[in-house]
Amino acid sequence: LTPIAHVAYSPVIIATSEHSKFKTLADVIAAAKADPGKITYGSPGNGTSIHIAGVLFEKAAGIKLTHVPYKGSNPALVDALSGNVDLLVSSVPSAIGQIKAGKLRPLAVTSAKRSSSLPEVPTVAESGYKGFDVSTWYGLFGPKGVPAPIVAKLNTEVNKLLQMKEVQESIQAQGAEPQAMSVADFGKFFEADFKNSKATVEASGATIN
């Protein structure tokens, strides 16, 4: 693939059912330390960026949770709403509808800054884990070998779109944050993220099933 343009990033959210006993992220951490492995969290699947965020949160908090991988975001969301798993680790766009409806209780977002879509939800960093910053991201790629002038032109046009107020508002309404990058910066970002994610997946022991 040829990296062309970064479009947006989305915080990962840690949430629980409206009926859950967990009111704050501190509640989850205290319970997990008291009984390692008992608390379950659902994600869209093994090795996904969401799963990686969950693993990194466990590491930062010094806790052990039990990961329950699903085949996509919707099944994980359904089981979190019903209480079949204790927590949901999800991208904000996938969960924001149920959060706004009051069915999911958001505990924290994993990005360095609060989500503009959910400004009342604290970050993991604010909850006592300074420097914690994990997000999912969205970008535009082409097949291998796209000529550099075409890549540059597409990057310029995408970045122009990302400066438009209506485009920014549309992205934010879905729970993501617009973020433009140059071709070079996006290439470096993608390479670094790939290496870091690969190392985290290998350390977690996650496998595709």
Side-chain angles (χ1 to χ4, degrees):
L1 295 176
T2 300
I4 294 174
H6 188 277
V7 176
Y9 72 91
S10 170
V12 173
I13 193 155
I14 302 170
T16 190
S17 163
E18 61 176 328
H19 304 297
S20 170
K21 65 181 180 180
F22 301 124
K23 308 299 183 185
T24 66
L25 193 65
D27 292 341
V28 172
I29 294 169
K33 287 185 175 180
D35 199 350
K38 183 178 180 180
I39 297 173
T40 56
Y41 74 93
S43 86
N46 274 327
T48 60
S49 58
I50 307 300
H51 177 206
I52 291 168
V55 171
L56 292 173
F57 167 64
E58 288 182 75
K59 184 178 179 181
I63 58 175
K64 175 61 179 173
L65 305 174
T66 295
H67 175 231
V68 182
Y70 289 82
K71 293 182 178 180
S73 299
N74 285 341
L77 177 60
V78 169
D79 267 11
L81 289 170
S82 65
N84 287 335
V85 287
D86 298 308
L87 303 172
L88 174 71
V89 180
S90 168
S91 66
V92 170
S94 295
I96 193 168
Q98 296 298 330
I99 291 171
K100 294 288 189 182
K103 301 297 184 181
L104 272 182
R105 179 183 301 134
L107 302 177
V109 292
T110 63
S111 51
K113 297 180 180 179
R114 293 192 179 198
S115 167
S116 62
S117 303
L118 299 168
E120 71 282 1
V121 181
T123 65
V124 171
E126 287 179 83
S127 301
Y129 303 93
K130 187 176 180 180
F132 194 87
D133 182 13
V134 181
S135 298
T136 60
W137 55 269
Y138 308 87
L140 179 65
F141 290 80
K144 183 179 180 180
V146 179
I150 294 177
V151 173
K153 177 64 174 175
L154 288 170
N155 178 271
T156 297
E157 295 303 318
V158 169
N159 288 348
K160 285 180 181 178
L161 288 170
L162 292 175
Q163 299 306 311
M164 297 171 62
K165 184 179 179 181
E166 58 266 41
V167 173
Q168 293 176 351
E169 290 176 345
S170 178
I171 290 173
Q172 289 170 337
Q174 298 176 67
E177 305 290 342
Q179 186 179 53
M181 291 185 187
S182 67
V183 174
D185 286 345
F186 182 44
K188 291 176 183 177
F189 168 83
F190 171 64
E191 184 177 353
D193 187 71
F194 181 85
K195 288 180 179 178
N196 291 337
S197 297
K198 183 174 184 291
T200 302
V201 170
E202 289 175 347
S204 75
T207 57
I208 301 299
N209 53 21

